[in-house]
Amino acid sequence: MTDFDITSKELARALGISQNKLYDICKFFDDDDDDDWDLVENVHFVFGAYKARVFSYEGALEICSYLEAEKKSILVKFKDILEEWLTGRKRRLKGLCIAK
Protein backbone atom coordinates (compact mmCIF):
# COMPACT_ATOMS: atom_id res chain seq x y z
CA MET A 1 0.00 0.00 0.00
CA THR A 2 1.30 3.44 -0.95
CA ASP A 3 1.73 6.08 1.74
CA PHE A 4 0.44 9.54 0.90
CA ASP A 5 2.23 11.73 3.38
CA ILE A 6 3.90 14.54 1.40
CA THR A 7 1.80 17.69 1.40
CA SER A 8 1.91 20.06 -1.54
CA LYS A 9 3.44 22.68 0.75
CA GLU A 10 6.24 20.32 1.81
CA LEU A 11 6.88 19.16 -1.75
CA ALA A 12 7.02 22.70 -3.13
CA ARG A 13 9.43 23.75 -0.38
CA ALA A 14 11.65 20.69 -0.96
CA LEU A 15 11.74 21.37 -4.72
CA GLY A 16 12.45 25.07 -4.24
CA ILE A 17 9.34 26.17 -6.14
CA SER A 18 6.18 27.98 -5.12
CA GLN A 19 2.98 26.10 -4.43
CA ASN A 20 1.45 27.92 -7.39
CA LYS A 21 4.19 26.50 -9.65
CA LEU A 22 3.48 23.03 -8.23
CA TYR A 23 -0.25 23.48 -8.93
CA ASP A 24 0.59 24.63 -12.47
CA ILE A 25 2.66 21.47 -13.00
CA CYS A 26 -0.19 19.30 -11.70
CA LYS A 27 -2.62 21.11 -14.03
CA PHE A 28 -0.21 20.56 -16.94
CA PHE A 29 -0.04 16.84 -16.10
CA ASP A 30 -3.86 16.64 -15.91
CA ASP A 31 -4.61 18.66 -19.05
CA ASP A 32 -2.85 16.60 -21.72
CA ASP A 33 -3.47 12.86 -21.77
CA ASP A 34 -1.11 12.35 -24.71
CA ASP A 35 2.07 13.62 -23.05
CA ASP A 36 4.63 11.60 -21.12
CA TRP A 37 3.67 13.08 -17.77
CA ASP A 38 0.92 11.62 -15.63
CA LEU A 39 -0.17 11.90 -12.05
CA VAL A 40 -2.56 9.07 -11.26
CA GLU A 41 -4.95 9.56 -8.37
CA ASN A 42 -4.49 6.93 -5.63
CA VAL A 43 -1.05 6.08 -7.05
CA HIS A 44 0.80 9.41 -7.16
CA PHE A 45 -1.53 11.51 -5.02
CA VAL A 46 -4.80 11.68 -3.16
CA PHE A 47 -7.00 14.66 -2.45
CA GLY A 48 -6.84 15.75 1.17
CA ALA A 49 -8.67 18.47 3.03
CA TYR A 50 -9.94 21.33 0.87
CA LYS A 51 -9.03 19.33 -2.28
CA ALA A 52 -5.31 19.86 -1.64
CA ARG A 53 -3.15 17.14 -3.12
CA VAL A 54 -1.15 14.89 -0.81
CA PHE A 55 1.59 13.06 -2.70
CA SER A 56 3.17 9.66 -2.44
CA TYR A 57 6.90 9.13 -2.86
CA GLU A 58 6.23 8.00 -6.45
CA GLY A 59 4.23 11.16 -7.16
CA ALA A 60 7.01 13.35 -5.80
CA LEU A 61 9.51 11.51 -8.02
CA GLU A 62 7.29 12.03 -11.07
CA ILE A 63 7.29 15.78 -10.49
CA CYS A 64 11.05 15.79 -9.84
CA SER A 65 11.61 13.97 -13.13
CA TYR A 66 9.51 16.55 -14.97
CA LEU A 67 11.41 19.47 -13.41
CA GLU A 68 14.73 17.84 -14.27
CA ALA A 69 13.69 17.29 -17.89
CA GLU A 70 12.39 20.87 -18.12
CA LYS A 71 15.67 22.23 -16.76
CA LYS A 72 17.70 20.14 -19.22
CA SER A 73 15.52 21.38 -22.06
CA ILE A 74 16.20 25.01 -21.11
CA LEU A 75 19.95 24.33 -20.79
CA VAL A 76 20.05 22.62 -24.20
CA LYS A 77 18.29 25.61 -25.81
CA PHE A 78 20.73 28.00 -24.13
CA LYS A 79 23.69 25.85 -25.28
CA ASP A 80 22.40 25.90 -28.87
CA ILE A 81 21.99 29.69 -28.84
CA LEU A 82 25.46 30.17 -27.32
CA GLU A 83 27.02 27.75 -29.80
CA GLU A 84 25.37 29.53 -32.72
CA TRP A 85 26.59 32.91 -31.45
CA LEU A 86 30.17 31.64 -30.99
CA THR A 87 30.20 30.00 -34.42
CA GLY A 88 28.95 33.20 -36.04
CA ARG A 89 31.57 35.20 -34.15
CA LYS A 90 34.35 32.87 -35.31
CA ARG A 91 33.11 33.14 -38.87
CA ARG A 92 33.11 36.96 -38.71
CA LEU A 93 36.61 37.04 -37.18
CA LYS A 94 37.89 34.65 -39.85
CA GLY A 95 36.37 36.89 -42.53
CA LEU A 96 38.07 39.95 -41.03
CA CYS A 97 41.44 38.18 -40.98
CA ILE A 98 41.07 37.10 -44.60
CA ALA A 99 40.04 40.64 -45.60
CA LYS A 100 43.22 42.06 -44.04
Side-chain angles (χ1 to χ4, degrees):
M1 184 171 171
T2 304
D3 291 330
F4 299 95
D5 55 3
I6 305 169
T7 65
S8 56
K9 185 177 183 177
E10 292 171 325
L11 182 56
R13 188 177 327 128
L15 295 172
I17 60 175
S18 69
Q19 275 188 279
N20 285 339
K21 172 73 173 171
L22 180 60
Y23 297 148
D24 289 345
I25 292 169
C26 291
K27 184 175 177 352
F28 171 74
F29 278 37
D30 293 343
D31 284 348
D32 190 356
D33 292 335
D34 294 332
D35 64 11
D36 295 336
W37 307 106
D38 256 343
L39 287 178
V40 179
E41 190 172 0
N42 296 321
V43 174
H44 295 122
F45 73 95
V46 292
F47 286 109
Y50 307 108
K51 287 294 203 180
R53 292 184 193 225
V54 182
F55 295 91
S56 65
Y57 176 74
E58 291 81 9
L61 282 179
E62 191 74 14
I63 292 175
C64 286
S65 297
Y66 168 76
L67 289 172
E68 186 175 88
E70 184 181 69
K71 189 179 283 186
K72 282 182 183 177
S73 173
I74 290 169
L75 290 175
V76 166
K77 287 177 187 174
F78 178 73
K79 178 189 159 280
D80 290 345
I81 290 169
L82 182 61
E83 200 171 86
E84 183 178 315
W85 178 78
L86 288 172
T87 303
R89 186 171 179 257
K90 283 182 184 178
R91 194 175 25 246
R92 286 190 304 276
L93 287 173
K94 193 175 186 180
L96 288 173
C97 289
I98 291 172
K100 284 186 177 187

